[in-house]
Every structure is written in C-alpha cells, then in structure tokens.
Amino acid sequence: MGRSNLMRGKENFFTNLVIASLRPLRQIAIEAEGAIEQLTVKQVVAWFVKDGKIPT
C-alpha cells in the first residue's frame, strides 16, 4: 500500500468513526431535548446502559 493509499485509509477510518459516534449522540440529545454540545458524560453513559449496550 502506497503512502497516499495509507493516508486515504486513515482518513476513511476516522471519517467513519466520527459518523458512527454522531448517530448515538444525536439520539441521546433528542431524548434529552438538548444539543449534543450540552450532553454530559453521565447522560451518555446512562443512555448506553439503558439501551443495553453496556452491561450493568
């Protein structure tokens, strides 16, 4: 893999990571009736626990 292909692969990875992270954050913000920027760590963790993504 050439350098440009490697850089493109890293860019694609990080783009996909950001997009995948935004989906649940948008949903949490909708349920909290606020903006993503206003979410707290406690709200995010509570949502993942409630949603069953983190075992208790």
Side-chain angles (χ1 to χ4, degrees), residues 1-37:
M1 183 182 288
R3 180 167 166 75
S4 64
N5 286 341
L6 180 60
M7 291 302 293
R8 199 170 317 127
K10 287 181 181 180
E11 288 172 5
N12 287 339
F13 170 77
F14 284 108
T15 299
N16 289 335
L17 180 63
V18 168
I19 291 170
S21 300
L22 279 174
R23 288 182 184 129
L25 290 174
R26 281 186 187 136
Q27 185 60 40
I28 298 166
I30 288 168
E31 291 178 20
E33 298 178 350
I36 290 174
E37 297 83 7

